[in-house]
Amino acid sequence: MSTETNAPVISNFIRNIIDEDLASGKHQSIVTRFPPEPNGYLHVGHVKAICINFGLAEDYQGLCNLRFDDTNPEKESDEYVQAIKEDIHWLQFEWNDDVRFASNYFDALYDFAVELIKAGKAYVDDLTAEEMRAYRGSLTEPGKNSPFRDRSPEENLDLFTRMRDGEFPDGSKTLRLKIDMSSGNINLRDPAIYRIRRAHHHRTGDKWCIYPMYDYTHCISDALEGITHSLCSLEFEDHRPLYDWVLDNISIGCHPRQYEFSRLHLLYAITSKRKLNRLVTENLVSGWDDPRMPTVSGMRRRGYTPSGLKLFAQRIGVSKSENIIDMSVLEGAVREELEGSSPRVMAVLDPIKVTLTNFEAGVTASRSAPFHPHHPEFGERDVPIAREIYIERDDFAEVPPPKWQRLTAGGEVRLRYSYVIKCEEVIKDADGKIVELKCSIDHDTLGKNPEGRKVKGVIHWVSAEHAVEADVRLYDRLFTEARPDAVRGEDGEYVDFVQFLNPESLSVVTGYIEPVVLDLPPESRYQFERIGYFVTDRRDHQPGKKAVFNRTVGLKDSWSK
């Protein structure tokens, strides 16, 4: 996949397959698909799949369909459909023609099921879910045939028609394929392909009270759409024989091939939609787009960029080997992209007031400064100065450690884009906390070095009079464990992953930022010099009224500590 970062396209086993198929004439062009279930928001694992499917289609001048797997109506909604479409557009991908839905094919799927019944390859079963599990066997023991397996095609067709017409209660009957209950692959032990479920569907309403299962629906949908390469994660590898069996046993003129790649495991995150939904519904986060969430909408709100996520997807690669990725890889890709694309301003997040005792209105001058040292096209802004300024608390030390190059009592430091100042007096409150520094300006140092001495340190600052006061949200990892849903207790059972939520994953401070940010629109990304990369919140930031910034990522990797 090529990206705006101009990173090289790296070959992988899927590309090799496509190259061979095109060279041999098996396919003239490729058609892929991205088939999310609309039961939650997309997350970082989906980003990998999106970049593979849409990216390959782009690179090979092929097509990629967006198809929603909407066969489970109780958990699906149009909210998720719209959110997924928005996320894909934000990632700067375009799907082929109109959005597709598995529900578009419900009539065709029903007709293929009738075909299988008439051919004696599917039957209506009355076993309960518990009985079906008992009959299925195990990895070491074969299953056994259902007592209803030998019903005649005529009886099965009659029962299936009555299932469709709503004659039977929910869960009382299923339609199963007649394959092999002794197969070493449990997926081939007469899998259920239809179940009775009276649930309102977000698109078909109450037309159907029977719904097809994923394994049956997916392969037929692929074939109906002419998919050439059906790419999915590795947990579906054992389902591939079923995928092929269904297509081999119905009268359909296309047989796509399924290829599997390893799914992404991002440390200090979870990528189960069910578990992410729990965080939302139990109000453990503020929503699906909480910037601590590994969802696309959460990462977007945190300030990640489409090109940064694409670069990340490229770096983690495509293979069949386990794909366990440290958070530093994700942050590194985002940081690298932001470094060249983000304007820079100064902000103070833990301020000490500094009074410039010899400040003279009309004499003490301001300077303009570039928004980026390597991108003059970003322009410049004025950096105003006043009698009172703010500096960061940790840029001052009464008793400096060795090699200290910032401000100290009696010491000098340069203000970024401004004068050299000297600390003359330290003022503390009754508890001994420093509340103010009184400093003098060397007025002969604006834009030039002082004469006769060297001042090594440079610190950032803002004018107290001109600075914009902002809510600044500082985010840390959401979990304290690298794999929070894979920790076992002494009894061998999995520990509830919410026990590992990081209580310090969010802190909010009042920051003071250069006045140029006051009118920024939402989703404006900036580097706060010497601090990190920040973005104006897309929900709460109000240009000209209320400034709200989210920390996207620090200037350096903090995950290797």
Side-chain angles (χ1 to χ4, degrees), residues 59-118:
D59 289 350
Y60 285 92
Q61 291 79 53
L63 302 173
C64 182
N65 294 346
L66 171 60
R67 181 208 313 141
F68 287 95
D69 168 37
D70 57 344
T71 58
N72 192 8
E74 291 171 318
K75 296 182 179 180
E76 298 162 357
S77 74
D78 190 59
E79 173 197 349
Y80 298 134
V81 170
Q82 299 307 320
I84 290 169
K85 289 165 60 178
E86 181 180 349
D87 286 346
I88 295 172
H89 270 142
W90 178 75
L91 286 167
Q92 301 172 351
F93 289 116
E94 294 294 331
W95 49 84
N96 173 39
D97 293 333
D98 294 332
V99 173
R100 294 162 168 82
F101 294 84
S103 54
N104 292 351
Y105 312 127
F106 278 177
D107 289 309
L109 291 162
Y110 181 85
D111 291 342
F112 284 122
V114 169
E115 179 184 336
L116 288 164
I117 291 171
K118 289 180 177 179

Side-chain angles (χ1 to χ4, degrees), residues 17-18 21 27 30-33 227-231 257 259:
I17 290 168
I18 293 173
D21 288 347
H27 299 297
I30 72 166
V31 184
T32 62
R33 83 291 168 269
I227 302 301
T228 59
H229 299 81
S230 182
L231 311 175
R257 298 297 172 185
Y259 303 96

Side-chain angles (χ1 to χ4, degrees), residues 479-509:
F479 294 99
T480 57
E481 283 286 334
R483 301 192 72 171
D485 54 354
V487 178
R488 294 182 186 269
E490 293 181 359
D491 59 359
E493 298 295 321
Y494 285 110
V495 179
D496 188 355
F497 72 97
V498 301
Q499 302 299 314
F500 303 113
L501 283 169
N502 180 7
E504 299 178 356
S505 61
L506 168 63
S507 60
V508 182
V509 300

Side-chain angles (χ1 to χ4, degrees), residues 63 109 132 160 282 316 339 348 375 379 443 524 550:
L63 302 173
L109 291 162
M132 199 178 294
F160 189 53
E282 294 184 9
I316 64 177
E339 195 282 330
V348 174
H375 291 281
H443 277 96
S524 296
N550 300 327

Side-chain angles (χ1 to χ4, degrees), residues 1-4 34 41-52 54-55 58 83-95 294-300 304-313 330 334 523 525:
M1 179 192 63
S2 57
T3 72
E4 301 94 306
F34 176 62
Y41 283 59
L42 299 182
H43 54 64
V44 66
H46 294 113
V47 171
K48 176 179 178 177
I50 288 169
C51 288
I52 291 172
F54 284 93
E58 281 187 358
I84 290 169
K85 289 165 60 178
E86 181 180 349
D87 286 346
I88 295 172
H89 270 142
W90 178 75
L91 286 167
Q92 301 172 351
F93 289 116
E94 294 294 331
W95 49 84
T295 54
V296 174
S297 56
M299 293 186 290
R300 174 182 179 178
Y304 290 9
T305 62
S307 54
L309 290 175
K310 289 177 181 179
L311 180 59
F312 168 69
L330 173 58
V334 171
E523 296 191 86
R525 301 178 183 88

Side-chain angles (χ1 to χ4, degrees), residues 7 86 199 242 253 260 296 335 383 403-404 410 419 501 539 553:
E86 181 180 349
L242 176 56
E260 308 86 16
V296 174
R335 183 184 297 111
V383 183
K403 299 183 180 179
W404 181 260
Y419 298 96
L501 283 169
R539 304 289 185 211
V553 65

Side-chain angles (χ1 to χ4, degrees), residues 354-369:
V354 174
T355 300
L356 302 174
T357 55
N358 59 339
F359 177 90
E360 294 183 54
V363 175
T364 305
S366 301
R367 283 184 66 193
S368 65

Side-chain angles (χ1 to χ4, degrees), residues 143-270:
K144 58 182 181 179
N145 290 347
S146 165
F148 306 100
R149 194 175 196 264
D150 294 325
R151 282 171 164 159
S152 69
E154 294 75 18
E155 182 182 4
N156 284 317
L157 185 57
D158 173 65
L159 289 170
F160 189 53
T161 303
R162 293 159 66 190
M163 286 171 60
R164 179 199 63 189
D165 293 343
E167 187 172 326
F168 306 116
D170 284 12
S172 61
K173 296 182 188 297
T174 57
L175 182 68
R176 299 177 68 179
L177 296 177
K178 188 184 290 187
I179 305 181
D180 182 4
M181 289 302 295
S182 64
S183 172
N185 186 335
I186 292 180
N187 295 294
L188 297 180
R189 295 182 187 176
D190 290 10
I193 62 170
Y194 269 91
R195 76 284 200 201
I196 304 171
R197 181 171 296 175
R198 287 169 175 80
H200 185 81
H201 192 279
H202 72 108
R203 296 189 71 247
T204 61
D206 298 316
K207 176 182 177 181
W208 296 90
C209 65
I210 58 171
Y211 289 99
M213 306 293 279
Y214 174 82
D215 279 336
Y216 173 73
T217 304
H218 185 70
C219 57
I220 295 175
S221 300
D222 279 353
L224 291 171
E225 294 178 8
I227 302 301
T228 59
H229 299 81
S230 182
L231 311 175
C232 57
S233 49
L234 206 55
E235 64 263 35
F236 290 100
E237 185 175 32
D238 290 340
H239 298 244
R240 192 192 328 139
L242 176 56
Y243 183 104
D244 291 332
W245 189 96
V246 171
L247 296 181
D248 286 340
N249 285 277
I250 60 175
S251 54
I252 198 164
C254 177
H255 190 133
R257 298 297 172 185
Q258 175 178 301
Y259 303 96
E260 308 86 16
F261 55 86
S262 57
R263 67 182 301 173
L264 168 64
H265 295 282
L266 184 66
L267 298 182
Y268 293 98
I270 55 173

